[in-house]
Amino acid sequence: MIQEAVVLKVAVDAPVEGIFDYVLPVDWEGGCAALAGRRVRVPFGASVRLGVMVAADALGEQSPELKAVEAVLDEAPLLDADDLRLGQWLAGYYHAPLGEVLALMLPASLRGGGALCSREVRGWRVLVGAPQEVVGATRQTQVLRKLHAAVDGVSAMDLRGVTAVLRALEQRGWAEPCVMSATLLACGDTLHAVAEVPPSLMLNAEQVAAHEAIAAHMGRFAAFLLHGITGSGKTEVYLAAMTAALLRGAQVLVLVPEIALTPQLVARFAARFKPLGEAAVVVLHSAMTARARELAWQAAQSGRARVVLGTRSAVLTPMPQLGLIVVDEEHDPSYKQQEGWRYHARDVALVRAQQRGVPVVLGSATPSLESLAQVAQGRYQRLRLTERAGGARMPPIELLDVRKRPLQDGFSAPLLAKMSAHLVAGGQVLLFLNRRGFAPALECHACGHVESCHQCSAPMTVHRGRGRLVCHHCGAERAVPRGCSACGSSDLAMPGQGTERIELALRGLFPEFALERIDRDTTRRKGALEDKLARAHSGEARVLLGTQMLAKGHDFPGVTLAVILDADSGLMSSDFRAPERLVQLIVQVAGRAGRAERPGEVVIQTHQPEHPLLQALLHGGFERCAELLMRERELAHLPPFAHLALLRAEAKDAAKAQAFLARCAAFFKDESMEALQVWGPAPAPLERRAGRFRFQLLLVSAQRAPLHRAVQQLGSAQQAWPERRGVKWSLDIDPQEMG
Ligand code: ADP
Ligand code: ZN
Ligand code: ZN
């Protein structure tokens, strides 16, 4: 008997490319409408996996081999046609399994096969007037902090074990139980409320021009590069554009590099759009509990949340009424996913905006060369903000030549004098050094041996306070030895400076001024970063020392001197993007100085004051640097003038990793892919990490198509190669880190 059956196309969450056919369970009674976008549990090989139905085709004849899905998990689609289309594009572009891509569009609980949580979630929320801290009551303080951090409340599940504390807070009028979803307003209400959004600042002429350009493109695709110096009021332009989109009934997606580092920004958005209802603005980032993420995701996916503010992965959040995308600090490297399928959130935002036919705004004071190239080609429209909104001026930059000058703990005498002058005059001083720990190496003075990681080809960093040697690549650590592990000599030196050492030096040099060090080591404890940032903002801390964490996005109005302690490592790196990153960083750090009434100053210590890049920065600012770097990239046939894909391979045995890539290289040559240049295989910059040897093969092409064709063909060809055994390999399209 011939049976009519519906064949389901399922993207299975497994590391295998392709879409697989299944049929519905025999006893299925749900009908066949709206199957796409729902999750299913399916038999897959010997296991059972989660999948997402991407289509259902009516088939004349049922092939008897087709297995039935075990269960359809959702009553309605979780992903709509737009989400599936985006997923399909991503899977194709990044050569990733569609099932894995779609799985990442779901919160962890749903990815794991759990049911969509019931709409009623009980929790607790903080009340107006509750303090941040209760002196002498650590537990109350802890719980209060948690409640303060989540405007929409914290679910009871995340507050297990502290019921007594919560009751105490309730009695003092500081917290109350709530039904969390009840705080989410229906989207109809939000439209009336937009009128009550607090009036924005009077935009200046440049801001108005930028806003009008964006607003004129609502409802269709257009890409804007909002290129405005730090403090020029980019955020104000985002807010104006967002209001325009919200008034049209659209949802807005805002991407930021790291939310934990920019609590002020979140507060600003939340405050501006508060009249839309408490849950109109939801936040999505990795430090949230799984439950909180799920709630925020659901609010976005159902359309109740009008503004989604999130980090990298938020770009994949389903938003049925998406009408505008904003990518703040678009040049930031953290937008690139560095494991699994390595998407770039900014690039995904562009594609998503294009597919949906909505405008996208990329903002930065220091745009990536990639985005500047798009402007040059007329694909993005550049909007300029050239003046600081508050009227403050950009601080002058000074190169401090430290050649032949004695350095005291990394400081030259003129620098110390300058710092002292600023501190005495009441200013704050910000020092930037991108190296944590005490010293980057422990070296034997007798035999020259450097203590290195047993697992990686890299020296261990000395963390003196903890008495440990730590590998910053794999995290391995051991006690600082008393003698050299090669010759036993106790004459050990610690060359170079990390933030821990600089802190110690500064405490000795300026004992009368309060200091805050902000890096990953000093902010491990929950709440530590917030506390430190608060002291930096209030002006209580006079000397601010830190790594990138300190350079990103903060607005410290009292800082009058910003110092780059060591610019040289960025000039000498083997990564071709290092000089671009260095300039971006210097300009960002410089942007922290002199934001308010007091004029600022920026000092860069270097052994290479004549370096063309530093000279360009001094005399032509970021623009001139970008031009210079752009010419260099063009001559070297590097992005944005070429497209790259990096094949990485690692194995316990170095020869295996190398042989696999050699076979790949030969394959590309055999296929006579002329448009493609193949570099390598070569050892990765960090040749050994966590006990595995690492090699890489770089593919370069002036056009994208040959590159993608090559990678596609490799995908199927390599399956039969014996060289694959024992080798873990991965593909990085548009790599950002060459390591
Ligand atoms: P950016 O995002 O470019 O760094 P912000 O939007 O944070 O700049 O603005 C910097 C400062 O200038 C903020 O304190 C902001 O309140 C203020 N500001 C922005 N636009 C205006 C304006 N039109 N008039 C007055 N102050 C403004
Ligand atoms: Zn020795
Ligand atoms: Zn290591």
Side-chain angles (χ1 to χ4, degrees):
M1 189 182 103
I2 294 174
Q3 233 182 356
E4 283 264 313
V6 172
V7 174
L8 303 174
K9 306 281 180 192
V10 177
V12 180
D13 185 8
V16 186
E17 282 190 46
I19 295 176
F20 302 88
D21 290 351
Y22 290 89
V23 290
L24 285 162
V26 240
D27 56 353
W28 176 252
E29 287 170 352
C32 292
L35 284 172
R38 295 201 226 175
R39 294 170 305 152
V40 285
R41 206 163 37 228
V42 292
F44 192 73
S47 63
V48 174
R49 300 256 184 178
L50 194 86
V52 175
M53 290 186 271
V54 293
D57 297 341
L59 191 84
E61 200 174 321
Q62 179 181 355
S63 148
E65 297 99 75
L66 287 190
K67 294 193 185 146
V69 304
E70 270 188 11
V72 177
L73 300 176
D74 305 304
E75 282 165 18
L78 295 183
L79 302 177
D80 66 16
D82 285 318
D83 300 324
L84 296 176
R85 191 152 59 110
L86 179 66
Q88 243 132 10
W89 186 90
L90 291 170
Y93 185 83
Y94 290 105
H95 301 271
L98 179 60
E100 287 190 357
V101 173
L102 296 181
L104 267 194
M105 292 186 168
L106 306 172
S109 49
L110 298 184
R111 211 180 298 154
L116 203 59
C117 67
S118 79
R119 302 269 145 142
E120 294 260 294
V121 176
R122 302 202 164 273
W124 286 76
R125 72 173 161 214
V126 73
L127 290 171
V128 181
Q132 295 283 340
E133 192 176 351
V134 189
V135 180
T138 330
R139 301 245 292 164
Q140 290 195 6
T141 301
Q142 273 169 356
V143 174
L144 271 174
R145 285 237 168 88
K146 204 163 176 175
L147 294 177
H148 272 297
V151 224
D152 299 331
V154 178
S155 70
M157 232 177 56
D158 292 324
L159 289 167
R160 263 182 307 204
V162 293
T163 318
V165 180
L166 288 164
R167 293 286 169 220
L169 293 176
E170 187 183 17
Q171 271 177 6
R172 303 179 81 160
W174 292 338
E176 67 177 10
C178 62
V179 175
M180 296 177 60
S181 48
T183 67
L184 304 175
L185 279 184
C187 91
D189 301 333
T190 66
L191 293 184
H192 309 290
V194 173
E196 293 163 32
V197 168
S200 37
L201 297 162
M202 271 286 284
L203 298 183
N204 62 34
E206 286 182 329
Q207 287 173 317
V208 168
H211 167 59
E212 283 178 353
I214 301 165
H217 287 82
M218 289 297 161
R220 58 200 156 108
F221 172 70
F224 298 95
L225 178 64
L226 181 59
H227 183 179
I229 60 172
T230 29
S232 59
K234 294 184 288 296
T235 310
E236 240 11 88
V237 174
Y238 303 151
L239 289 166
M242 289 165 70
T243 307
L246 292 167
L247 280 168
R248 292 172 55 97
Q251 289 176 292
V252 181
L253 172 64
V254 183
L255 300 180
V256 295
E258 275 161 277
I259 286 189
L261 296 183
T262 48
Q264 308 158 38
L265 189 73
V266 177
R268 216 160 137 192
F269 279 75
R272 187 64 64 90
F273 297 115
K274 196 163 178 109
L276 298 184
E278 277 179 59
V281 180
V282 297
V283 171
L284 269 171
H285 61 91
S286 56
M288 290 161 68
T289 62
R291 182 52 149 223
R293 281 179 72 100
E294 188 183 334
L295 280 174
W297 182 91
Q298 235 179 293
Q301 186 255 8
S302 67
R304 281 168 300 162
R306 309 311 294 162
V307 176
V308 174
L309 185 60
T311 46
R312 183 175 60 226
S313 64
V315 74
L316 301 172
T317 316
M319 294 174 67
Q321 293 135 22
L322 182 66
L324 172 69
I325 307 179
V326 172
V327 184
D328 189 27
E329 308 287 3
E330 66 89 25
H331 65 279
D332 197 286
S334 73
Y335 283 126
K336 174 81 170 172
Q337 168 74 24
Q338 292 296 1
E339 53 201 51
W341 57 281
R342 301 171 173 238
Y343 63 94
H344 197 301
R346 175 196 61 215
D347 299 346
V348 177
L350 252 303
V351 171
R352 196 166 176 191
Q354 204 160 22
Q355 288 189 343
R356 294 287 282 258
V358 303
V360 55
V361 180
L362 313 180
S364 177
T366 54
S368 61
L369 296 183
E370 277 81 358
S371 294
L372 289 172
Q374 298 284 359
V375 169
Q377 289 165 12
R379 289 204 209 110
Y380 298 177
Q381 185 183 339
R382 173 149 59 174
L383 308 168
R384 303 296 302 256
L385 303 181
T386 57
E387 276 164 27
R388 282 192 159 189
R393 285 187 312 126
M394 237 8 215
I397 296 180
E398 180 190 339
L399 294 183
L400 207 105
D401 182 358
V402 291
R403 281 175 303 187
K404 300 195 208 117
R405 276 186 207 276
L407 293 184
Q408 184 186 349
D409 296 311
F411 294 92
S412 61
L415 175 58
L416 288 176
K418 210 169 236 146
M419 288 171 60
S420 181
H422 277 266
L423 288 170
V424 169
Q428 281 174 299
V429 173
L430 182 150
L431 298 118
F432 173 80
L433 179 66
N434 214 6
R435 200 183 299 125
R436 61 197 174 84
F438 187 81
L442 183 68
E443 190 181 41
C444 173
H445 223 59
C447 77
H449 175 77
V450 173
E451 296 296 332
S452 61
C453 176
H454 299 318
Q455 303 284 318
C456 308
S457 50
M460 303 283 273
T461 301
V462 185
H463 286 248
R464 217 176 71 169
R466 291 166 52 215
R468 310 288 284 174
L469 293 179
V470 182
C471 173
H472 285 186
H473 300 286
C474 74
E477 45 176 271
R478 55 182 191 257
V480 175
R482 286 163 176 241
C484 168
S485 61
C487 77
S489 162
S490 59
D491 191 4
L492 300 176
M494 294 183 268
Q497 270 90 26
T499 46
E500 185 189 354
R501 184 176 222 161
I502 296 291
E503 175 185 359
L504 204 71
L506 286 170
R507 288 199 190 279
L509 289 162
F510 301 103
E512 66 276 39
F513 297 104
L515 177 149
E516 286 299 339
R517 161 153 71 102
I518 299 185
D519 60 26
R520 263 204 285 144
D521 296 314
T522 62
T523 55
R524 252 176 248 279
R525 186 176 55 78
K526 221 171 177 276
L529 178 63
E530 291 76 9
D531 293 349
K532 283 170 172 288
L533 288 176
R535 284 195 290 275
H537 282 285
S538 70
E540 184 187 333
R542 303 293 305 284
V543 181
L544 314 174
L545 162 69
T547 53
Q548 328 227 17
M549 275 184 134
L550 196 55
K552 282 183 185 174
H554 307 294
D555 188 354
F556 301 123
V559 170
T560 56
L561 175 65
V563 180
I564 316 292
L565 276 172
D566 172 23
D568 299 351
S569 48
L571 296 172
M572 294 184 303
S573 165
S574 64
D575 190 327
F576 75 88
R577 286 187 213 271
E580 177 187 356
R581 299 255 160 84
L582 175 70
V583 172
Q584 285 165 339
L585 204 91
I586 294 177
V587 174
Q588 297 283 340
V589 171
R592 310 287 144 240
R595 289 198 125 196
E597 322 73 47
R598 295 181 221 215
E601 230 187 314
V602 179
V603 172
I604 302 171
Q605 283 201 141
T606 176
H607 287 87
Q608 305 188 42
E610 264 101 61
H611 195 287
L613 195 63
L614 294 180
Q615 285 298 321
L617 182 63
L618 211 60
H619 297 114
F622 177 76
E623 307 285 280
R624 185 84 59 83
C625 289
E627 282 165 25
L628 183 77
L629 292 169
M630 205 70 111
R631 266 201 305 279
E632 283 178 12
R633 297 276 185 91
E634 187 165 18
L635 289 173
H637 298 287
L638 285 169
F641 300 93
H643 303 285
L644 306 183
L646 191 65
L647 279 172
R648 294 188 175 87
E650 55 173 67
K652 289 228 170 68
D653 179 355
K656 281 190 174 170
Q658 192 170 18
F660 172 75
L661 290 181
R663 175 96 197 238
C664 294
F667 170 79
F668 294 130
K669 292 207 176 86
D670 281 354
E671 300 291 305
S672 64
M673 295 175 179
E674 275 149 27
L676 193 71
Q677 288 175 56
V678 181
W679 299 77
L686 184 69
E687 197 178 341
R688 190 160 160 260
R689 184 170 72 192
R692 297 173 75 92
F693 288 91
R694 310 160 75 232
F695 282 78
Q696 55 192 36
L697 188 71
L698 184 65
L699 310 181
V700 186
S701 171
Q703 272 87 40
R704 279 194 192 284
L707 196 69
H708 281 278
R709 222 167 20 246
V711 172
Q712 193 79 49
Q713 288 175 15
L714 176 74
S716 37
Q718 53 84 30
Q719 285 174 17
W721 298 350
E723 288 89 343
R724 238 187 84 178
R725 298 195 44 188
V727 177
K728 207 173 114 193
W729 71 281
S730 64
L731 172 68
D732 192 350
I733 300 285
D734 307 328
Q736 292 289 312
E737 311 284 342
M738 303 311 279

